[in-house]
Each structure stands twice: as structure tokens, then as C-alpha cells.
Amino acid sequence: MQRYHPVLVALHWLMALMILISLTAGWVILDNMANDDPDKILVLTGHMSAGIVIGTLLVVRLVTRFRTGTPPRATTGNALLDRIGIWTHWGFYVFVAGMALSGLATALGAGLFPIVFGGAAETVPEELSGLPQRIAHGWIATVLALLILLHISATVYHQLVLKDGLLRRMWFGARS
Ligand code: HEM
């Protein structure tokens, strides 16, 4: 088998895009907006909806991954790099799930669902920023961003140094 199942390919690129947008929006927009800024609710409507969709797609991805055949494990010729590759891939599942769950816990802890989706208040509560799950959401985001950097560096290494065409496996086309 030379490629991943087309559902996994589609989910990979869709989730990559949604995660990059969510990380950027979280750091660049949300983190720099005061809690008493009424516009924050609009940004949170998009961020919370996208985050819940990402969490749901992660479950669909995991189920599809175990139900479909995959190409043989990629190798670099270096046992340590190969082991880092395996751990990075499982790390993605753990940290993306961690983002979705800590985001949900933050929204529940600050009572954001009725405010963001039900118009229950004009602004978000000030306590939001100090909640432990909110602080965890920020730290998990940092680890996830580091994993993404590692993942992109490995892809560049495979494409440009090893020239083994690894990226083809994560695109549509004949699988055998
Ligand atoms: C993979 C999914 C997600 C990603 C990548 C993501 C990313 C981020 C980032 C980077 C921040 C800013 C962190 C910081 O600077 O400390 C943030 C804040 C936040 N996120 Fe998420 N998030 C995700 C899912 C969710 C979900 C599912 C919810 C709720 C249902 C949520 C609710 C929030 C809230 C309430 C904040 C705080 C905003 C503030 O304090 O101003 N996130 N998110």
C-alpha cells in the first residue's frame, strides 16, 4: 500500500488548516482582547465552534485510521529519528485531544456556552483568564505548535534531503 485512505488524506489537510487557524486566532486575536471587549464574543463563537469540530474530526480520524490499511512505516535510516517520528504522530492525537478538552473545560468553567451561543451576557467574565484549565489550554497550545514544527521539519527532511517522496503518501491517488 502506497498511500493513506482518501478519508484520512482529506482529514489530515482539513484538520491541519483548522488547527493552524485556531492556534493563530487564539494567540493573535483572543489572547490580546480584553475580557470586557464585547467583540470577544464574536471571535469566541468562531473559535469554540472550530475547536469542537476539530475534536469531533479527531475521533473520526482515529476510527478511520484503525479501520483502513496504511503504508509501511516511514524510515530515515536512523533509529532515533524513526522513534521520534512514531512518538510525534501519537503526540498529535494526545495534544489535539488535550486542546479540545481543555478548551471545552474552559468554556464550561467560565459559563461561556450561554454567553457565546445564547446571548446571556454582553461580555465574558473576568475570571476566565485565571482558570487552571484556561492556563493549561495555553501550555498545551505551545507543545502542539512545537510538535507541528517538528512534523514540518521532518517532512522537509524527507522531501529535500532523503528525496523519498514521502509527501505523496498523504495525497489522493492509486493506493497500490
Ligand atoms: C484544536 C483545537 C483548539 C486550538 C488549536 C485552540 C487554540 C487556542 C489558543 C492558541 C488560545 C490562546 C492561548 C493562550 O494564548 O494562552 C486559545 C484560547 C481559548 N480557547 Fe481554544 N483552541 C482549541 C479548541 C478550543 C475549544 C474546543 C474551545 C471551547 C469549546 C476553546 C475555547 C477557548 C477559550 C475560551 C480561550 C480563551 C480566550 C481568552 O482567554 O481570551 N478552544 N485557544
Side-chain angles (χ1 to χ4, degrees), residues 23-159:
L23 281 174
T24 310
W27 278 322
V28 178
I29 310 174
L30 277 174
D31 208 31
N32 292 311
M33 266 179 137
N35 288 338
D36 61 3
D37 184 340
D39 291 340
K40 191 164 195 166
I41 291 181
L42 185 65
V43 182
L44 276 173
T45 311
H47 183 82
M48 286 168 56
S49 308
I52 291 168
V53 171
I54 293 170
T56 310
L57 292 181
L58 185 72
V59 177
V60 176
R61 188 192 158 109
L62 198 59
V63 172
T64 314
R65 170 76 175 68
F66 283 118
R67 289 185 170 205
T68 56
T70 54
R73 195 163 271 158
T75 53
T76 56
N78 177 305
L80 177 65
L81 288 182
D82 290 351
R83 206 158 325 127
I84 293 175
I86 295 168
W87 283 104
T88 307
H89 287 111
W90 289 114
F92 271 121
Y93 285 104
V94 172
F95 285 94
V96 173
M99 281 314 289
L101 292 175
S102 60
L104 265 181
T106 304
L108 290 171
L112 293 184
F113 280 98
I115 299 175
V116 169
F117 297 110
E122 298 282 305
T123 57
V124 300
E126 205 45 56
E127 312 86 79
L128 163 69
S129 312
L131 289 175
Q133 57 268 49
R134 165 67 184 87
I135 295 164
H137 197 58
W139 279 108
I140 299 169
T142 305
V143 180
L144 182 60
L146 290 174
L147 279 182
I148 293 172
L149 276 181
L150 200 60
H151 186 64
I152 294 173
S153 313
T155 308
V156 171
Y157 181 64
H158 276 279
Q159 285 301 121

